[in-house]
Amino acid sequence: PEMGRIVSRRLAAFKGVEVHGGEEVGKLIVTLEDRGEAISPIPDTMNALREVEGVVGTILVYHYGGEESMEEMNREIN
């Protein structure tokens, strides 16, 4: 918890990363958003976040791909 603010600033420096809270308890709430790239950078970003000093681990809690992703998935399935 004593590194919460420091780690928060380190994570916020990544493109597409926003820290929403948790600094005071050392469990940060972070969202990652791609910017419509053809290949999403999010898996690479999550891996990079694990390497930041002060980060113990990361876990994906929720994923949203939007309507476009659903349409693409349905095309691939069919």
Side-chain angles (χ1 to χ4, degrees):
E2 60 277 355
M3 290 190 63
R5 286 193 173 90
I6 295 167
V7 174
S8 178
R9 285 194 301 271
R10 290 175 181 163
L11 299 183
F14 283 84
K15 180 180 175 186
V17 172
E18 187 175 344
V19 180
H20 300 279
E23 295 172 347
E24 61 283 344
V25 293
K27 294 182 180 182
L28 301 177
I29 302 161
V30 179
T31 56
L32 283 72
E33 182 176 346
D34 66 31
R35 306 288 184 205
E37 293 93 339
I39 298 175
S40 176
I42 290 180
D44 292 335
T45 303
M46 283 192 69
N47 287 333
L49 296 181
R50 289 185 189 106
E51 300 300 319
V52 171
E53 184 180 349
V55 173
V56 175
T58 63
I59 185 168
L60 178 64
V61 175
Y62 178 77
H63 175 266
Y64 175 74
E67 296 300 319
E68 300 82 22
S69 293
M70 290 301 293
E71 291 172 12
E72 184 177 327
M73 182 182 73
N74 286 331
R75 280 194 302 270
E76 289 180 15
I77 291 173
N78 297 317

Coordinates of all heavy atoms in Angstrom, one line a residue:
P1 N 0.8 -1.2 0.0 CA 0.0 0.0 0.0 C 0.8 1.3 0.0 O 0.4 2.3 -0.6 CB -0.8 -0.1 1.3 CG -0.9 -1.6 1.6 CD 0.4 -2.1 1.0
E2 N 2.0 1.2 0.6 CA 2.9 2.4 0.7 C 3.4 2.8 -0.7 O 3.8 4.0 -0.9 CB 4.0 2.3 1.6 CG 5.0 1.1 1.3 CD 4.5 -0.2 1.8 OE1 3.5 -0.3 2.5 OE2 5.2 -1.2 1.5
M3 N 3.3 1.9 -1.7 CA 3.8 2.2 -3.1 C 2.6 2.6 -4.0 O 2.8 2.8 -5.2 CB 4.6 1.1 -3.6 CG 5.9 0.9 -2.9 SD 7.0 -0.3 -3.8 CE 7.2 0.5 -5.4
G4 N 1.4 2.6 -3.5 CA 0.2 2.7 -4.3 C 0.3 3.9 -5.2 O 0.0 3.8 -6.4
R5 N 0.6 5.1 -4.7 CA 0.6 6.3 -5.6 C 1.8 6.2 -6.6 O 1.6 6.7 -7.7 CB 0.8 7.5 -4.7 CG -0.5 7.9 -3.9 CD -0.4 9.3 -3.3 NE -1.7 9.6 -2.8 CZ -2.1 9.3 -1.5 NH1 -1.3 8.7 -0.7 NH2 -3.3 9.6 -1.1
I6 N 2.9 5.7 -6.2 CA 4.0 5.6 -7.1 C 3.7 4.7 -8.3 O 3.9 5.0 -9.4 CB 5.3 5.1 -6.4 CG1 5.7 6.2 -5.3 CG2 6.4 4.8 -7.3 CD1 6.7 5.6 -4.4
V7 N 3.1 3.5 -7.9 CA 2.8 2.5 -9.0 C 1.7 3.1 -9.8 O 1.7 2.9 -11.1 CB 2.4 1.2 -8.3 CG1 1.9 0.2 -9.4 CG2 3.6 0.6 -7.6
S8 N 0.7 3.8 -9.3 CA -0.4 4.4 -10.0 C 0.2 5.3 -11.1 O -0.2 5.3 -12.3 CB -1.3 5.2 -9.1 OG -2.3 5.8 -9.8
R9 N 1.1 6.1 -10.7 CA 1.7 7.1 -11.7 C 2.5 6.3 -12.8 O 2.4 6.7 -14.0 CB 2.7 8.1 -11.0 CG 1.9 9.1 -10.3 CD 2.9 10.3 -9.9 NE 4.0 9.9 -9.0 CZ 4.0 9.8 -7.7 NH1 2.9 10.2 -7.1 NH2 5.0 9.4 -7.0
R10 N 3.2 5.2 -12.4 CA 3.9 4.4 -13.4 C 2.9 3.8 -14.4 O 3.2 3.8 -15.6 CB 4.7 3.3 -12.7 CG 5.9 3.9 -11.9 CD 6.6 2.8 -11.2 NE 7.7 3.3 -10.4 CZ 8.3 2.7 -9.4 NH1 7.9 1.5 -9.0 NH2 9.3 3.3 -8.7
L11 N 1.8 3.3 -13.9 CA 0.9 2.6 -14.8 C 0.2 3.6 -15.7 O 0.0 3.3 -16.9 CB -0.2 1.8 -14.0 CG 0.4 0.7 -13.1 CD1 -0.8 0.0 -12.4 CD2 1.2 -0.3 -13.9
A12 N -0.2 4.8 -15.2 CA -0.9 5.8 -15.9 C 0.0 6.3 -17.1 O -0.6 6.9 -18.0 CB -1.3 6.9 -15.0
A13 N 1.3 6.1 -17.1 CA 2.2 6.5 -18.1 C 2.0 5.7 -19.4 O 2.4 6.1 -20.5 CB 3.6 6.5 -17.7
F14 N 1.4 4.5 -19.3 CA 1.2 3.6 -20.4 C 0.0 4.2 -21.3 O -1.0 4.6 -20.8 CB 0.9 2.2 -20.0 CG 2.0 1.4 -19.5 CD1 2.5 1.5 -18.2 CD2 2.7 0.5 -20.4 CE1 3.6 0.8 -17.8 CE2 3.8 -0.2 -19.9 CZ 4.2 -0.1 -18.6
K15 N 0.2 4.0 -22.6 CA -0.8 4.4 -23.5 C -2.1 3.6 -23.3 O -2.0 2.4 -23.2 CB -0.3 4.3 -25.0 CG -1.3 4.6 -26.0 CD -0.7 4.4 -27.4 CE -1.8 4.7 -28.5 NZ -1.3 4.4 -29.8
G16 N -3.2 4.2 -23.2 CA -4.5 3.5 -23.0 C -4.8 3.0 -21.6 O -5.8 2.3 -21.4
V17 N -4.0 3.4 -20.7 CA -4.2 3.0 -19.3 C -4.7 4.1 -18.4 O -4.2 5.2 -18.5 CB -2.9 2.4 -18.7 CG1 -3.0 2.1 -17.2 CG2 -2.4 1.2 -19.4
E18 N -5.7 3.8 -17.6 CA -6.3 4.8 -16.7 C -6.5 4.1 -15.3 O -7.0 3.0 -15.2 CB -7.7 5.3 -17.2 CG -8.2 6.4 -16.4 CD -9.5 7.0 -17.0 OE1 -9.8 6.7 -18.1 OE2 -10.2 7.7 -16.2
V19 N -6.0 4.7 -14.3 CA -6.1 4.2 -12.9 C -7.3 4.9 -12.3 O -7.3 6.1 -12.3 CB -4.8 4.5 -12.1 CG1 -4.9 3.9 -10.7 CG2 -3.6 3.8 -12.9
H20 N -8.2 4.1 -11.7 CA -9.4 4.7 -11.1 C -9.4 4.7 -9.6 O -10.3 5.3 -9.0 CB -10.6 3.8 -11.6 CG -10.7 3.9 -13.1 ND1 -11.3 4.9 -13.8 CD2 -10.3 3.0 -14.0 CE1 -11.3 4.7 -15.0 NE2 -10.7 3.5 -15.2
G21 N -8.5 4.1 -8.9 CA -8.5 4.1 -7.5 C -7.8 2.9 -6.9 O -7.2 2.1 -7.6
G22 N -7.8 2.8 -5.6 CA -7.2 1.7 -4.9 C -5.8 2.0 -4.4 O -5.2 1.1 -3.7
E23 N -5.3 3.2 -4.6 CA -4.0 3.5 -4.2 C -3.8 3.3 -2.7 O -2.7 2.9 -2.2 CB -3.6 5.0 -4.6 CG -3.6 5.2 -6.0 CD -3.5 6.7 -6.4 OE1 -3.6 7.5 -5.5 OE2 -3.2 6.9 -7.6
E24 N -4.8 3.7 -1.9 CA -4.6 3.7 -0.4 C -4.5 2.3 0.1 O -4.0 2.1 1.2 CB -5.7 4.5 0.2 CG -7.1 3.9 0.0 CD -7.7 4.3 -1.4 OE1 -7.2 5.2 -2.1 OE2 -8.7 3.6 -1.8
V25 N -5.0 1.3 -0.6 CA -4.9 -0.1 -0.1 C -4.0 -1.0 -0.9 O -3.8 -2.1 -0.6 CB -6.3 -0.8 -0.1 CG1 -7.2 -0.1 1.0 CG2 -6.9 -0.8 -1.4
G26 N -3.4 -0.4 -2.0 CA -2.4 -1.1 -2.7 C -3.0 -2.1 -3.7 O -2.3 -3.0 -4.2
K27 N -4.3 -1.9 -4.0 CA -4.9 -2.8 -5.0 C -5.6 -1.8 -6.1 O -6.7 -1.3 -5.8 CB -6.0 -3.7 -4.4 CG -5.4 -4.7 -3.5 CD -6.4 -5.6 -2.9 CE -5.8 -6.6 -2.0 NZ -6.8 -7.5 -1.5
L28 N -4.9 -1.6 -7.1 CA -5.3 -0.5 -8.1 C -6.4 -1.1 -9.0 O -6.4 -2.2 -9.5 CB -4.1 0.0 -8.9 CG -3.0 0.5 -8.1 CD1 -1.8 0.9 -9.0 CD2 -3.4 1.7 -7.3
I29 N -7.3 -0.2 -9.3 CA -8.4 -0.5 -10.3 C -7.9 0.2 -11.6 O -7.8 1.5 -11.6 CB -9.7 0.0 -9.8 CG1 -10.1 -0.6 -8.5 CG2 -10.8 -0.2 -10.8 CD1 -11.1 0.2 -7.7
V30 N -7.7 -0.5 -12.6 CA -7.1 0.0 -13.8 C -7.9 -0.4 -15.0 O -8.4 -1.6 -15.1 CB -5.6 -0.5 -14.0 CG1 -5.0 0.0 -15.3 CG2 -4.8 -0.1 -12.8
T31 N -8.1 0.5 -16.0 CA -8.8 0.1 -17.2 C -7.7 0.3 -18.4 O -6.9 1.2 -18.3 CB -10.0 0.9 -17.6 OG1 -9.7 2.3 -17.5 CG2 -11.1 0.6 -16.6
L32 N -7.8 -0.6 -19.3 CA -7.0 -0.5 -20.5 C -8.0 -0.4 -21.7 O -9.0 -1.1 -21.8 CB -6.2 -1.8 -20.7 CG -5.0 -2.0 -19.9 CD1 -5.3 -2.3 -18.4 CD2 -4.1 -3.1 -20.4
E33 N -7.6 0.5 -22.6 CA -8.5 0.7 -23.8 C -7.6 0.8 -25.0 O -6.6 1.6 -25.0 CB -9.3 2.0 -23.6 CG -10.2 2.3 -24.7 CD -11.1 3.5 -24.5 OE1 -11.1 4.0 -23.3 OE2 -11.7 4.0 -25.4
D34 N -8.0 0.0 -26.0 CA -7.2 0.2 -27.3 C -7.9 1.4 -28.0 O -9.0 1.8 -27.7 CB -7.1 -1.1 -28.1 CG -8.5 -1.6 -28.6 OD1 -9.4 -0.8 -28.9 OD2 -8.6 -2.8 -28.8
R35 N -7.2 1.8 -29.0 CA -7.7 3.0 -29.8 C -8.1 2.6 -31.2 O -8.0 3.3 -32.2 CB -6.6 4.0 -29.9 CG -6.0 4.4 -28.6 CD -7.0 5.3 -27.8 NE -6.4 5.8 -26.6 CZ -7.0 6.1 -25.5 NH1 -8.3 6.0 -25.5 NH2 -6.4 6.5 -24.4
G36 N -8.7 1.4 -31.3 CA -9.1 0.9 -32.6 C -8.1 0.4 -33.5 O -8.3 0.3 -34.7
E37 N -6.9 0.0 -33.0 CA -5.9 -0.6 -33.8 C -6.4 -1.9 -34.4 O -7.2 -2.6 -33.8 CB -4.6 -0.9 -32.9 CG -4.0 0.4 -32.4 CD -4.4 0.8 -31.0 OE1 -5.5 0.4 -30.6 OE2 -3.7 1.5 -30.4
A38 N -5.8 -2.3 -35.5 CA -6.2 -3.6 -36.1 C -5.9 -4.8 -35.2 O -6.6 -5.7 -35.2 CB -5.4 -3.7 -37.5
I39 N -4.8 -4.7 -34.5 CA -4.4 -5.7 -33.6 C -4.4 -5.1 -32.2 O -3.6 -4.1 -32.0 CB -3.1 -6.4 -33.9 CG1 -3.2 -7.1 -35.2 CG2 -2.7 -7.4 -32.8 CD1 -1.8 -7.7 -35.7
S40 N -5.2 -5.5 -31.3 CA -5.2 -4.9 -30.0 C -3.9 -5.0 -29.2 O -3.3 -6.1 -29.1 CB -6.3 -5.6 -29.1 OG -6.4 -5.0 -27.8
P41 N -3.5 -3.9 -28.6 CA -2.2 -3.9 -27.8 C -2.5 -4.3 -26.4 O -1.5 -4.4 -25.6 CB -1.8 -2.4 -27.9 CG -3.1 -1.7 -28.0 CD -4.0 -2.5 -28.8
I42 N -3.7 -4.6 -26.0 CA -4.0 -4.8 -24.6 C -3.3 -6.1 -24.0 O -2.8 -6.0 -22.9 CB -5.6 -4.9 -24.4 CG1 -6.1 -3.5 -24.6 CG2 -5.9 -5.5 -23.0 CD1 -7.6 -3.4 -24.4
P43 N -3.2 -7.2 -24.7 CA -2.4 -8.3 -24.1 C -1.0 -7.9 -23.8 O -0.4 -8.2 -22.8 CB -2.5 -9.4 -25.1 CG -3.8 -9.1 -25.9 CD -3.9 -7.6 -25.9
D44 N -0.4 -7.2 -24.8 CA 1.0 -6.8 -24.6 C 1.1 -5.8 -23.4 O 2.1 -5.8 -22.7 CB 1.6 -6.2 -25.9 CG 1.7 -7.2 -27.0 OD1 1.9 -8.4 -26.6 OD2 1.7 -6.8 -28.1
T45 N 0.1 -4.9 -23.3 CA 0.1 -3.9 -22.3 C 0.0 -4.6 -20.9 O 0.7 -4.2 -20.0 CB -1.0 -2.8 -22.4 OG1 -0.8 -2.2 -23.7 CG2 -1.0 -1.8 -21.3
M46 N -0.9 -5.6 -20.8 CA -1.1 -6.3 -19.5 C 0.2 -7.0 -19.1 O 0.6 -6.9 -18.0 CB -2.2 -7.3 -19.6 CG -3.6 -6.7 -19.5 SD -4.9 -7.8 -19.3 CE -4.6 -8.4 -17.6
N47 N 0.9 -7.6 -20.1 CA 2.2 -8.2 -19.8 C 3.2 -7.2 -19.4 O 4.0 -7.4 -18.4 CB 2.7 -8.9 -21.0 CG 2.0 -10.2 -21.3 OD1 1.4 -10.8 -20.4 ND2 1.9 -10.6 -22.5
A48 N 3.2 -6.0 -20.0 CA 4.2 -4.9 -19.6 C 3.9 -4.4 -18.2 O 4.8 -4.1 -17.4 CB 4.1 -3.8 -20.6
L49 N 2.6 -4.3 -17.8 CA 2.2 -3.8 -16.5 C 2.8 -4.8 -15.4 O 3.1 -4.3 -14.3 CB 0.7 -3.7 -16.4 CG 0.0 -2.7 -17.3 CD1 -1.5 -2.7 -17.0 CD2 0.6 -1.3 -17.1
R50 N 2.8 -6.0 -15.7 CA 3.4 -7.0 -14.7 C 4.8 -6.7 -14.4 O 5.3 -7.1 -13.4 CB 3.2 -8.4 -15.3 CG 1.8 -8.9 -15.3 CD 1.7 -10.4 -15.7 NE 0.3 -10.8 -15.9 CZ -0.2 -11.0 -17.1 NH1 0.5 -10.8 -18.2 NH2 -1.5 -11.3 -17.2
E51 N 5.5 -6.1 -15.4 CA 7.0 -5.9 -15.2 C 7.3 -4.6 -14.5 O 8.4 -4.3 -14.2 CB 7.6 -5.8 -16.6 CG 7.5 -7.1 -17.4 CD 8.1 -8.3 -16.7 OE1 9.2 -8.2 -16.1 OE2 7.4 -9.4 -16.7
V52 N 6.2 -3.8 -14.2 CA 6.4 -2.5 -13.5 C 6.8 -2.8 -12.1 O 6.2 -3.6 -11.4 CB 5.2 -1.6 -13.6 CG1 5.3 -0.4 -12.7 CG2 4.9 -1.2 -15.0
E53 N 7.9 -2.1 -11.6 CA 8.3 -2.3 -10.2 C 7.1 -1.9 -9.3 O 6.6 -0.8 -9.4 CB 9.5 -1.4 -9.9 CG 10.0 -1.6 -8.5 CD 11.2 -0.7 -8.2 OE1 11.8 -0.1 -9.1 OE2 11.6 -0.7 -7.0
G54 N 6.8 -2.8 -8.4 CA 5.7 -2.5 -7.4 C 4.4 -3.3 -7.8 O 3.6 -3.4 -6.9
V55 N 4.4 -3.8 -9.0 CA 3.2 -4.6 -9.4 C 3.4 -6.1 -9.0 O 4.4 -6.6 -9.4 CB 2.9 -4.5 -10.9 CG1 1.8 -5.4 -11.4 CG2 2.5 -3.0 -11.3
V56 N 2.5 -6.6 -8.3 CA 2.6 -8.0 -7.9 C 2.0 -8.9 -9.0 O 2.5 -10.0 -9.3 CB 2.0 -8.3 -6.5 CG1 2.0 -9.7 -6.2 CG2 2.7 -7.4 -5.5
G57 N 0.9 -8.5 -9.5 CA 0.2 -9.3 -10.5 C -0.9 -8.5 -11.1 O -1.3 -7.4 -10.7
T58 N -1.5 -9.0 -12.2 CA -2.6 -8.4 -12.9 C -3.6 -9.5 -13.2 O -3.3 -10.7 -13.3 CB -2.2 -7.8 -14.2 OG1 -1.8 -8.8 -15.1 CG2 -1.2 -6.7 -14.1
I59 N -4.9 -9.1 -13.2 CA -6.0 -10.1 -13.6 C -7.0 -9.3 -14.4 O -7.3 -8.2 -14.1 CB -6.6 -10.7 -12.3 CG1 -7.6 -11.7 -12.7 CG2 -7.2 -9.6 -11.4 CD1 -8.0 -12.6 -11.5
L60 N -7.5 -10.0 -15.4 CA -8.5 -9.5 -16.3 C -9.9 -9.8 -15.6 O -10.2 -11.0 -15.4 CB -8.5 -10.1 -17.7 CG -9.5 -9.6 -18.6 CD1 -9.4 -8.1 -18.9 CD2 -9.4 -10.4 -19.9
V61 N -10.6 -8.8 -15.2 CA -11.9 -9.0 -14.6 C -13.0 -8.9 -15.5 O -14.0 -9.6 -15.4 CB -12.1 -8.0 -13.4 CG1 -13.4 -8.1 -12.8 CG2 -11.0 -8.2 -12.4
Y62 N -12.9 -8.0 -16.5 CA -14.0 -7.7 -17.4 C -13.4 -7.3 -18.8 O -12.4 -6.6 -18.8 CB -14.9 -6.6 -16.9 CG -16.0 -6.2 -17.8 CD1 -17.2 -7.0 -17.9 CD2 -15.9 -5.1 -18.6 CE1 -18.2 -6.6 -18.7 CE2 -17.0 -4.7 -19.4 CZ -18.1 -5.5 -19.5 OH -19.1 -5.2 -20.3
H63 N -14.0 -7.8 -19.8 CA -13.6 -7.5 -21.2 C -14.8 -7.1 -22.0 O -15.8 -7.8 -22.0 CB -12.9 -8.7 -21.8 CG -12.5 -8.4 -23.2 ND1 -13.3 -8.8 -24.3 CD2 -11.4 -7.9 -23.8 CE1 -12.7 -8.5 -25.4 NE2 -11.6 -7.9 -25.1
Y64 N -14.7 -6.0 -22.7 CA -15.8 -5.5 -23.6 C -15.2 -5.2 -24.9 O -14.2 -4.5 -25.0 CB -16.5 -4.3 -23.0 CG -17.6 -3.8 -24.0 CD1 -18.8 -4.4 -24.1 CD2 -17.3 -2.6 -24.7 CE1 -19.7 -4.0 -25.0 CE2 -18.3 -2.1 -25.6 CZ -19.5 -2.8 -25.7 OH -20.4 -2.3 -26.6
G65 N -15.8 -5.8 -26.0 CA -15.3 -5.6 -27.3 C -16.2 -4.7 -28.2 O -15.8 -4.4 -29.3
G66 N -17.4 -4.3 -27.7 CA -18.2 -3.5 -28.5 C -19.0 -4.3 -29.6 O -18.7 -5.5 -29.8
E67 N -19.9 -3.6 -30.2 CA -20.7 -4.2 -31.2 C -19.9 -4.7 -32.4 O -20.1 -5.8 -33.0 CB -21.8 -3.2 -31.7 CG -22.8 -2.8 -30.7 CD -23.5 -4.0 -30.1 OE1 -23.9 -4.9 -30.9 OE2 -23.7 -4.1 -28.9
E68 N -18.9 -4.0 -32.8 CA -18.0 -4.4 -33.9 C -17.4 -5.7 -33.6 O -17.3 -6.6 -34.5 CB -17.0 -3.3 -34.2 CG -17.5 -1.9 -34.5 CD -17.8 -1.1 -33.3 OE1 -17.3 -1.4 -32.2 OE2 -18.6 -0.2 -33.4
S69 N -16.9 -5.9 -32.4 CA -16.3 -7.2 -32.1 C -17.2 -8.3 -32.1 O -16.9 -9.4 -32.5 CB -15.6 -7.1 -30.7 OG -14.6 -6.2 -30.7
M70 N -18.5 -8.1 -31.7 CA -19.5 -9.2 -31.7 C -19.8 -9.5 -33.2 O -19.9 -10.7 -33.5 CB -20.7 -8.7 -31.0 CG -20.6 -8.6 -29.5 SD -20.1 -10.2 -28.7 CE -21.6 -11.2 -29.0
E71 N -19.9 -8.6 -34.1 CA -20.2 -8.8 -35.5 C -19.0 -9.6 -36.1 O -19.2 -10.6 -36.8 CB -20.4 -7.5 -36.2 CG -21.7 -6.8 -35.9 CD -21.8 -5.4 -36.5 OE1 -20.9 -5.1 -37.4 OE2 -22.7 -4.7 -36.1
E72 N -17.8 -9.3 -35.8 CA -16.6 -10.0 -36.3 C -16.6 -11.4 -35.8 O -16.3 -12.3 -36.5 CB -15.4 -9.2 -35.9 CG -14.1 -9.8 -36.5 CD -12.9 -9.0 -36.1 OE1 -13.0 -7.8 -36.0 OE2 -11.8 -9.6 -36.0
M73 N -16.9 -11.6 -34.5 CA -16.9 -12.9 -33.9 C -17.9 -13.8 -34.6 O -17.7 -14.9 -34.9 CB -17.1 -12.9 -32.4 CG -17.1 -14.2 -31.7 SD -17.4 -14.2 -30.0 CE -19.2 -13.8 -30.0
N74 N -19.1 -13.3 -34.8 CA -20.2 -14.0 -35.5 C -19.8 -14.4 -36.9 O -20.1 -15.5 -37.3 CB -21.5 -13.2 -35.5 CG -22.1 -13.2 -34.1 OD1 -22.0 -14.1 -33.3 ND2 -22.9 -12.1 -33.8
R75 N -19.1 -13.5 -37.6 CA -18.6 -13.9 -39.0 C -17.6 -15.0 -38.9 O -17.6 -15.9 -39.7 CB -18.0 -12.6 -39.6 CG -19.0 -11.7 -40.2 CD -18.3 -10.7 -41.1 NE -17.3 -9.9 -40.5 CZ -17.5 -8.7 -39.8 NH1 -18.7 -8.2 -39.8 NH2 -16.5 -8.1 -39.2
E76 N -16.7 -15.0 -37.9 CA -15.7 -16.0 -37.8 C -16.3 -17.4 -37.4 O -15.9 -18.4 -37.9 CB -14.6 -15.6 -36.8 CG -13.8 -14.5 -37.3 CD -12.7 -14.1 -36.2 OE1 -12.5 -14.9 -35.3 OE2 -12.1 -13.0 -36.4
I77 N -17.3 -17.3 -36.6 CA -18.0 -18.6 -36.1 C -18.7 -19.2 -37.3 O -18.7 -20.4 -37.5 CB -18.9 -18.3 -34.9 CG1 -18.1 -18.0 -33.7 CG2 -19.8 -19.6 -34.7 CD1 -18.9 -17.5 -32.5
N78 N -19.4 -18.4 -38.1 CA -20.2 -18.9 -39.2 C -19.4 -19.0 -40.4 O -19.3 -19.5 -41.3 CB -21.4 -18.0 -39.4 CG -22.3 -18.0 -38.2 OD1 -22.6 -19.0 -37.6 ND2 -22.8 -16.8 -37.8

